């Protein structure tokens, strides 16, 4: 998990010491959403974690719309790298 988190931060970082830019936040939320989705395949009745998944998806959606408004090139890069939109 920690290795994957560091890889995500490194691949999406805008500069060398970047840990909190919009791109990195979107990447970390995507990892969290993927992990929770896998969790629900085994535990279908886990309703408390469903709330966390919903909040994470909505936060990522807001961050993506913000990034699209502010920096379209970076938005396209993030979408392609994380394979979000089809």
């Amino acid at each position: 998990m920690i290795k994957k988190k560091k890889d995500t931060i490194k691949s999406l970082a805008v500069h060398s010491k970047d840990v909190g830019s919009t791109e990195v936040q979107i990447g970390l939320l995507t990892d969290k959403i993927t992990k929770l989705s896998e969790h629900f395949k085994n535990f279908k009745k886990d309703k408390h974690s469903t709330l966390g998944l919903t909040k994470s998806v909505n936060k990522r959606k807001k961050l993506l719309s913000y990034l699209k408004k502010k920096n379209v090139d970076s938005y396209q890069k993030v979408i392609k790298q994380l394979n979000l939109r089809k």
Side-chain angles (χ1 to χ4, degrees):
M1 171 70 184
I2 293 175
K3 188 78 164 163
K4 184 172 182 169
K5 188 173 181 179
K6 285 183 179 180
D7 291 340
T8 303
I9 291 172
K10 193 180 291 186
S11 67
L12 294 169
V14 178
H15 52 80
S16 61
K17 296 191 185 260
D18 181 17
V19 291
S21 68
T22 308
E23 294 89 343
V24 172
Q25 289 181 45
I26 291 169
L28 293 176
L29 280 170
T30 301
D31 289 347
K32 182 178 180 181
I33 290 166
T34 306
K35 185 177 149 199
L36 280 172
S37 297
E38 291 297 318
H39 171 78
F40 289 127
K41 288 179 182 171
N42 295 329
F43 305 99
K44 292 175 177 57
K45 294 186 177 184
D46 186 357
K47 298 302 177 191
H48 291 302
S49 297
T50 309
L51 181 65
L53 176 66
T54 306
K55 284 183 178 181
S56 297
V57 168
N58 289 335
K59 185 168 184 135
R60 182 178 71 179
K61 185 178 176 184
K62 286 179 188 176
L63 285 169
L64 281 168
S65 66
Y66 168 79
L67 189 62
K68 190 174 184 180
K69 275 191 285 186
K70 292 293 180 185
N71 190 349
V72 178
D73 296 333
S74 182
Y75 170 79
Q76 296 293 339
K77 180 186 140 205
V78 168
I79 291 295
K80 187 175 181 186
Q81 189 168 350
L82 296 176
N83 197 21
L84 290 178
R85 303 266 193 293
K86 303 294 184 242

